[in-house]
Amino acid sequence: MINLENISFDHCIKCTVCTIYCPVARETHLFPGPKQSGPDTERLRIKDPYLVDDSLKYCSNCKRCEIACPSGVKIADLIQVAKFQHLKKKIRVRDFFMSRTDLVGRLATFMSFLTNFVINLLPVKFFMDVILKIPFGRSFPKYASGTFHGWAKKKMPDQSKFRTKAVYFHGCYVNYNNHQLGKDLVDVLNAMNIGVITENEKCCGVPLIANGYIDKAKKNAAHNIQALSRALGEEGTRIVSTSSSCSYALKYEYANLLELNNATIYDKVDYITKYLYSQFETGNIPPMKPVNLRAAYHSPCHLERMGGVIYTINVLKEIPGLDLVILHSECCGIAGTYGFKKEYYEISQSIGANLFRNIEKADVEVVITDCETCKMQIEMNTPYEVLHPVQVLARAIKNNTR
Amino acid sequence: MNYDCLIIGGGISGLTCGIKCVSEGLRCGILSSGMSALHFSSGSIDLYGYHTNRKIVYQPLDYIERLIIPEGRHPYSKCGIDMIREGISFFSETLEKEGLVLYHNNDYNHFHVSTMGTVKPTYLSQRSVFNDSIKEGFKKRSKIAILNFSGFRDFYPELAAENLRKNSLFSLFDIITGEIELPLFRRTEKNPHEFRSMDIARIFDSEKYLPGIANQIVNASGGALFVGLPAFIGINNFTRIYQRLSELTGMLIYEIPTLPPSILGMRIDDALKSRFAALGGEFIAGDTVNGGEIVNGVLDHIHTENHGSTRLRSKFFVLSSGSFFSRGLVSEFNMIREPVFNLKVAASEDRREWYSPSFFQKESHPFLEYGVVTNNTLNPEDTQGATVENLFCTGAILPHYNPIREGCGGGVAISTGYFAAKKIIEGCRS
Ligand SMILES: Cc1cc2nc3c(=O)[nH]c(=O)nc-3n(C[C@H](O)[C@H](O)[C@H](O)COP(=O)(O)OP(=O)(O)OC[C@H]3O[C@@H](n4cnc5c(N)ncnc54)[C@H](O)[C@@H]3O)c2cc1C
Ligand code: SF4
Ligand code: SF4
C-alpha cells in the first residue's frame, strides 16, 4: 500500500547528495546509503516487501541526509518506517532492556550504587559483550539514587509563587542519571522568575523507535501527549525539554513516524535554549557573573535537524566570561542506543573520530553539548567533561549569588 | 532574533552576500533548505560565454560593459560594471583565504571540458582546470590520456575522448583513454560501481595511496603530457594533493567534472561556508522558509518549517532561493510562482511557451529566463504591486537572463549577491 502521507520519495532527483553527507555510509560499505535505502528502494518495497534487505538496520537515524537533500525528501523517516514495517524483529534481551529506559532506570536507580559497581566489573562487561552484544570498550552513564521526578514532587522549592510557569519534560536521562541537570534547570528558570512544573511523563519513545518497539512507543507517546496537554493549563505556558532528542520526538517523530495527532502540543514544545532565548529577547536575562571558562560547543544531529542550534549558540553568547569555540557540525557517532551495540560499535567510533580530534585541537577546558548521548560519547573518547548549556548558565547564576 | 540581514537560500549568491555582510560587522544569518546548485555545477564560474549567435565571447567584462549593461533589464545592467568587478574579486579573495585559489586568464575567458567532453568558455576555474602550466602545456599540442578508475560508473572516458576528438581545438592532439585501479578496492566489500566521486575523493584525501596511484597513472598514460581524471582529487585537502600528484607523476593533471555530485562545486561550497562561519555568520541548514509578512512595503518577519510560529526578524532580507531546480521558483499547471512571498514573476502564462521542443536545444529553454521582477536595486514587488524596500532578490531567482545560453550563471549570482550586500551595509550604516 502506498502511504500517501510520505510520497516525498517521488521528489527525489537522484542526485546522491544525501549519501555524501551520511556519516554511516562514509564509514562502512555495508550500508548502501540514504539514497539507495530510502527513495530508491522505497518504490520497490511498496511493490513487494520481499525486496527489503536488512542493510537498512545500519541507518542510525541521525537525519543528516534530510538536512542535505535539495528536494525535501524525508529520507530518514522513510528508512525508519521501512525498518519497523519490514525487518523481522529478533527478540533480543539487549534491545528490549536498552529501549525500556523507564523500567531499567527505575530498577537501576533503586540500587544505584550496586548498578554502577556491577556494570563496570570485568566479568560483567565480558558477559555483556559476548551474550548481550554490548561492546566491551563501551562506558556507561552512571545511575543516580532515586528519580528526579521523586525529588521534584517532594523537595523541589515551591514553584506556585511564580506567575509564569513552564512544564518541564525532563526525560529519562535527567530522571535516572543526571538529576543535577534538572535541578540546574529549576535554578535557572527560577532566577528568571519562571516556575517549573513536572508531569507524570513516560519515556519519550526515542529508544523504543530505534529498537523497533513501535507499539510501545505509540503508547508512551499517547500518554505524553495527553499528560502534557493537560499540564499546559494557563495561556502562554510552554513545554520545555533539556534533551534535544526528546524535543525532536515530541514535536516531529510523534506525528511523522508514529502517526499520532500531537497538534495540542506541537507548537508549545521548545527545546530549552529556544525558550531561554525568547525570554532573553524580552529582556528577561538572569543576573550572571563571569564563568571564566574556555569551552568547545558540539551541535547534536537532532538539534541541527530542528534548526535549534542558533538558539543554543545565542544563549551561550550571553554568558559572561565564556570563551566559546564552535566546532564544525558533525555526527559524534553514538546516535542514541546505536553506539551501545556491538555490531555498530566500530562504525560509531570511526564516525566520531574526526570530532574527537577537533575537540583535542580546540584546546579547551570543557565541552558543551545539548544531548545526553553525545555527552556519553565525547566523555568516553576525550579527556573532557561535557556540560549542558543549562549547567553553564546555572554556574554563571550561582557565581552571582555567591 | 534580531538580525541586520537574513538570507533565504545558501547557494553561491546567498553565501557571497552573507560573507560580505558579516565581514563588515553585520549580524547575519542564512537559512537554507538543502544543498545548492553548487553540488551540481562544474565548479567553474561563468561570467559571460556566448554571443546571441552562439559565438564565443573572449573578453567577458568588456562584452558585458559594452553590450549587456546598456540593455537595461539584465541583472548585470542593475549591478553596473564596477560592482561586477568588485564582486568577482571579493569572491576570489574569499576563497583564497580558505586555501582555494581560482585562476583566470588575464581577464579573458578560458575553456574547460565537461563530463561529456564538450568544451565551454568560462572565467574562473580551480587550479586543476586552468592555470599557467596548463595554458602553456596546451600550446604544445601533444598527447592527452583520459583515465578512469575501473568500475567507476559516473564518468565515461571514451565518450569524453570521442567528443574532444571532434573538436577543432583538439585536432592536433593524440587522445587516448585507459583505466587504473584504486588500491583500496581490493580491501572493500563494496563493489567499485557503487562508488561515488566522494568516496574516491576521500581516498585521495588520506594521501596514503598517492604514490601507488601516481605509478598507475604514469603506466596507463603512454607518455602523455596531460592526464584527464574525473574530478575527485581530494576534497578538504585538494591543493596539497593536487600538488603532490603533479610532482609524483610529472604530468599536467586535469580534472573533468563527473555526474553529480560534483566535487569541484563542493570544494567551493565548503570554502564559502567555512568562511561565513569563521566570520561569525549563522548558517541554519535544513530549514525551509515558508512565508513572511509584508506590511506597507516592508518585510516585517519570516517564518520557517522548523521554527513554527516563531517570527524571525531582521532589518534586511535577501531572497536567493535559486531557480526551479532549487525550488526558488515553482511551476503549477498554468502558472509560475515564487512560493515564499508570492512576489511578482516575469513568465509566460502559456505553458507551451515554457520550454523548447528538444532538451539540448542550442537556444536553451525560455523558462530559464523567468524569475522575480525587481527594480534597479533588486527590490521585488509584493502581490499588491508595492516595492518591498528591505528585501533584495539575487542569483538564479532573477529573470531576463539565460544562464545556459549566455554562460553567465555564476557571475550573475556573485555580482547580484555582492550588490545586495553593499546596499544592505549602506542601509545599516545610515
Ligand atoms: C545543475 C546546474 C549546474 C550549473 N552549473 C554551473 C556552472 O558550472 N557554472 C556557473 O557559473 N553556473 C552554473 N549554474 C548556474 C547556477 O544557477 C548559478 O551558477 C548559481 O549556482 C545559482 O546560485 P544561487 O545561489 O542563485 O542559487 P542556488 O544555488 O540554486 O541556491 C538556492 C538555495 O536556496 C535554498 N532554498 C530554496 N528555497 C528555499 C526556502 N524557501 N527556504 C530556505 N532555503 C531555500 C535551496 O535549498 C538552495 O540551497 C548551474 C545551474 C544548475 C541548475
Ligand atoms: S539518518 Fe543518518 S545514518 Fe540514516 S541514512 Fe540518513 S544520514 Fe545516514
Ligand atoms: S539528496 Fe534527496 S534528491 Fe538527492 S538523491 Fe538523496 S533523496 Fe534524492
Side-chain angles (χ1 to χ4, degrees):
Chain A
M1 265 285 284
I2 297 182
N3 174 4
L4 286 176
E5 299 292 308
N6 191 0
I7 50 165
S8 71
F9 71 87
D10 223 18
H11 301 171
C12 171
I13 54 165
K14 309 293 166 206
C15 67
T16 328
V17 162
C18 50
T19 298
I20 282 186
Y21 290 93
C22 169
V24 176
R26 186 186 71 209
E27 296 306 332
T28 177
H29 301 143
L30 297 171
F31 182 49
K35 170 175 175 280
Q36 202 174 324
S37 300
D40 281 6
T41 36
E42 181 67 10
R43 53 186 67 244
L44 302 178
R45 291 192 284 256
I46 291 170
K47 268 191 140 161
D48 187 350
Y50 178 75
L51 295 164
V52 175
D53 80 294
D54 74 347
S55 63
L56 281 178
K57 66 182 184 211
Y58 284 99
C59 166
S60 75
N61 198 19
C62 71
K63 309 236 180 253
R64 294 214 170 236
C65 47
E66 292 184 1
I67 296 178
C69 174
S71 316
V73 181
K74 300 279 172 275
I75 315 162
D77 285 355
L78 283 172
I79 297 179
Q80 305 329 301
V81 171
K83 253 198 228 174
F84 47 72
Q85 275 184 354
H86 300 303
L87 292 191
K88 266 223 195 74
K89 184 96 203 98
K90 294 185 212 109
I91 298 196
R92 191 172 244 174
V93 184
R94 178 199 67 189
D95 293 0
F96 181 84
F97 282 108
M98 236 179 224
S99 54
R100 296 314 193 270
T101 43
D102 271 332
L103 176 69
V104 174
R106 244 174 279 136
L107 289 172
T109 47
F110 180 62
M111 296 180 299
S112 60
F113 166 72
L114 200 62
T115 318
N116 293 332
F117 176 70
V118 169
I119 207 163
N120 283 311
L121 287 179
L122 279 185
V124 174
K125 287 203 135 187
F126 190 71
F127 167 79
M128 293 203 302
D129 188 295
V130 176
I131 311 290
L132 295 183
K133 309 280 183 234
I134 296 174
F136 194 83
R138 187 77 243 170
S139 57
F140 293 89
K142 282 211 161 41
Y143 278 96
S145 165
T147 63
F148 174 77
H149 190 71
W151 175 85
K153 280 266 146 343
K154 277 194 226 122
K155 300 211 187 89
M156 187 148 84
D158 185 21
Q159 301 295 310
S160 58
K161 59 176 189 264
F162 297 100
R163 258 200 39 219
T164 312
K165 293 188 191 71
V167 180
Y168 179 34
F169 187 89
H170 48 69
C172 298
Y173 174 67
V174 164
N175 205 22
Y176 305 115
N177 304 96
N178 191 351
H179 297 177
Q180 194 52 46
L181 173 55
K183 293 176 185 172
D184 281 345
L185 179 79
V186 176
D187 288 348
V188 169
L189 289 184
N190 285 179
M192 295 164 67
N193 261 315
I194 299 165
V196 178
I197 327 170
T198 56
E199 251 313 303
N200 216 343
E201 61 176 59
K202 288 205 160 96
C203 165
C204 69
V206 164
L208 292 163
I209 295 171
N211 288 288
Y213 296 100
I214 295 312
D215 293 341
K216 173 80 176 127
K218 275 192 183 173
K219 262 193 211 148
N220 281 15
H223 169 96
N224 288 336
I225 296 171
Q226 238 195 5
L228 292 171
S229 315
R230 208 177 328 117
L232 275 172
E234 290 149 55
E235 189 60 33
T237 306
R238 303 200 60 91
I239 303 159
V240 298
S241 153
T242 42
S243 157
S244 40
S245 293
C246 293
S247 337
Y248 189 82
L250 294 171
K251 248 178 130 71
Y252 302 102
E253 309 267 52
Y254 282 10
N256 297 350
L257 274 180
L258 301 179
E259 294 168 346
L260 295 173
N261 180 358
N262 66 346
T264 45
I265 59 166
Y266 171 77
D267 226 6
K268 302 270 163 64
V269 178
D270 282 331
Y271 171 66
I272 186 63
T273 53
K274 184 173 180 210
Y275 180 75
L276 290 172
Y277 192 79
S278 59
Q279 288 292 324
F280 286 11
E281 260 191 325
T282 64
N284 186 10
I285 303 176
M288 294 182 266
K289 280 266 165 67
V291 287
N292 299 326
L293 199 63
R294 185 173 156 83
Y297 172 66
H298 160 71
S299 52
C301 298
H302 285 175
L303 192 62
E304 199 81 55
R305 179 71 189 95
M306 277 192 288
V309 175
I310 37 162
Y311 298 106
T312 298
I313 292 177
N314 280 297
V315 164
L316 292 174
K317 279 184 180 166
E318 293 286 337
I319 303 177
L322 182 66
D323 181 7
L324 198 62
V325 180
I326 295 168
L327 298 163
H328 176 71
S329 161
E330 55 189 325
C331 180
C332 75
I334 191 149
T337 54
Y338 191 82
F340 282 95
K341 298 179 178 173
K342 194 173 178 181
E343 60 274 34
Y344 310 128
Y345 181 65
E346 264 179 46
I347 301 173
S348 142
Q349 288 295 99
S350 55
I351 290 174
N354 201 40
L355 173 70
F356 310 144
R357 268 196 297 276
N358 284 337
I359 292 177
E360 301 273 349
K361 270 195 263 170
D363 185 29
V364 291
E365 294 159 83
V366 295
V367 177
I368 301 175
T369 192
D370 311 84
C371 164
E372 54 276 5
T373 56
C374 293
K375 171 182 158 82
M376 295 171 203
Q377 177 81 333
I378 295 170
E379 286 187 338
M380 184 177 109
N381 288 285
T382 70
Y384 301 106
E385 179 191 8
V386 179
L387 297 175
H388 190 279
V390 165
Q391 292 178 294
V392 189
L393 263 180
R395 265 198 209 181
I397 293 169
K398 266 178 213 138
N399 286 354
N400 185 64
T401 50
R402 220 175 254 159
Chain B
M1 301 238 157
N2 277 312
Y3 291 91
D4 293 319
C5 171
L6 260 182
I7 299 170
I8 307 163
I12 197 169
S13 196
L15 278 160
T16 306
C17 180
I19 295 169
K20 181 66 189 164
C21 287
V22 280
S23 71
E24 298 279 331
L26 266 53
R27 174 150 186 220
C28 174
I30 299 180
L31 293 139
S32 199
S33 9
M35 295 299 166
S36 73
L38 273 171
H39 284 66
F40 314 99
S41 78
S42 66
S44 289
I45 307 295
D46 304 343
L47 202 49
Y48 211 92
Y50 303 100
H51 292 273
T52 27
N53 58 8
R54 287 299 285 179
K55 281 232 175 71
I56 284 164
V57 168
Y58 288 93
Q59 278 181 288
L61 284 159
D62 177 64
Y63 186 87
I64 293 169
E65 185 169 12
R66 283 190 303 110
L67 289 159
I68 304 302
I69 291 186
E71 186 252 328
R73 283 198 317 174
H74 199 286
Y76 278 150
S77 314
K78 295 177 179 171
C79 299
I81 194 72
D82 293 336
M83 200 56 68
I84 299 170
R85 282 184 193 277
E86 217 181 294
I88 298 287
S89 356
F90 174 79
F91 180 78
S92 294
E93 286 157 22
T94 299
L95 291 189
E96 197 161 344
K97 284 184 185 135
E98 290 293 319
L100 189 67
V101 185
L102 296 183
Y103 293 79
H104 65 83
N105 190 11
N106 301 321
D107 270 3
Y108 279 76
N109 273 330
H110 59 267
F111 290 98
H112 70 122
V113 177
S114 76
T115 307
M116 308 266 286
T118 51
V119 175
K120 292 181 170 163
T122 190
Y123 186 70
L124 287 173
S125 287
Q126 289 163 43
R127 192 179 175 177
S128 54
V129 173
F130 182 77
N131 66 50
D132 282 346
S133 339
I134 290 182
K135 188 177 168 183
E136 288 311 310
F138 190 77
K139 289 184 188 151
K140 293 192 186 129
R141 308 267 186 268
S142 61
K143 188 168 176 180
I144 297 177
I146 302 179
L147 307 180
N148 191 18
F149 286 105
S150 58
F152 180 67
R153 288 201 303 189
D154 286 353
F155 180 64
Y156 304 93
E158 289 74 18
L159 179 67
E162 200 47 47
N163 278 327
L164 280 181
R165 287 184 197 116
K166 284 186 204 149
N167 191 311
S168 59
L169 279 172
F170 286 83
S171 55
L172 295 173
F173 283 87
D174 177 15
I175 302 173
I176 63 162
T177 59
E179 284 200 337
I180 52 179
E181 302 254 338
L182 258 194
L184 204 68
F185 276 15
R186 282 186 226 108
R187 292 206 297 111
T188 154
E189 333 71 38
K190 194 167 179 170
N191 218 324
H193 68 248
E194 287 172 36
F195 266 75
R196 296 293 173 179
S197 48
M198 190 62 171
D199 296 314
I200 302 179
R202 284 183 186 129
I203 294 171
F204 270 86
D205 255 348
S206 76
E207 282 192 55
K208 205 158 116 195
Y209 304 98
L210 278 188
I213 295 174
N215 244 337
Q216 289 199 51
I217 291 177
V218 173
N219 292 341
S221 339
L225 176 65
F226 275 98
V227 58
L229 292 174
F232 39 46
I233 307 180
I235 176 98
N236 302 316
N237 222 352
F238 160 70
T239 308
R240 191 185 144 74
I241 305 286
Y242 181 78
Q243 179 71 27
R244 275 205 67 198
L245 201 60
S246 305
E247 283 163 16
L248 287 167
T249 53
M251 300 170 76
L252 291 168
I253 307 221
Y254 189 91
E255 279 191 306
I256 305 171
T258 60
L259 291 180
S262 157
I263 299 287
L264 286 154
M266 285 174 62
R267 287 184 197 133
I268 297 183
D269 177 74
D270 267 10
L272 290 174
K273 282 181 184 154
S274 76
R275 193 78 211 126
F276 182 65
L279 291 167
E282 298 167 30
F283 196 95
I284 305 145
D287 200 1
T288 302
V289 176
N290 46 22
E293 200 182 340
I294 298 170
V295 195
N296 300 327
V298 175
L299 176 55
D300 181 69
H301 61 262
I302 54 173
H303 40 84
T304 77
E305 222 170 79
N306 285 340
H307 289 88
S309 57
T310 309
R311 299 167 167 196
L312 300 174
R313 289 175 205 281
S314 174
K315 285 197 194 98
F316 293 95
F317 294 87
V318 176
L319 185 65
S320 50
S321 48
S323 184
F324 299 94
F325 190 81
S326 296
R327 301 193 299 171
L329 297 171
V330 293
S331 66
E332 280 162 16
F333 186 65
N334 56 2
M335 88 177 180
I336 283 175
R337 241 167 32 87
E338 181 285 303
V340 181
F341 305 109
N342 237 330
L343 299 168
K344 187 177 163 195
V345 167
S348 162
E349 276 168 22
D350 185 350
R351 194 185 174 91
R352 283 166 303 183
E353 288 177 10
W354 292 356
Y355 45 86
S356 310
S358 139
F359 186 70
F360 283 119
Q361 192 104 342
K362 281 233 162 57
E363 285 67 43
S364 179
H365 298 278
F367 73 78
L368 285 165
E369 290 172 43
Y370 299 162
V372 173
V373 183
T374 70
N375 63 10
N376 277 337
T377 43
L378 304 178
N379 311 106
E381 281 176 26
D382 68 7
T383 24
Q384 273 89 49
T387 304
V388 192
E389 302 289 346
N390 66 336
L391 174 63
F392 295 86
C393 296
T394 75
I397 197 172
L398 292 170
H400 308 313
Y401 77 106
N402 189 319
I404 309 293
R405 181 166 51 72
E406 301 168 19
C408 68
V412 166
I414 293 168
S415 335
T416 52
Y418 186 80
F419 181 44
K422 292 283 266 200
K423 289 276 158 215
I424 291 167
I425 294 160
E426 215 178 277
C428 284
R429 301 244 157 100
S430 68

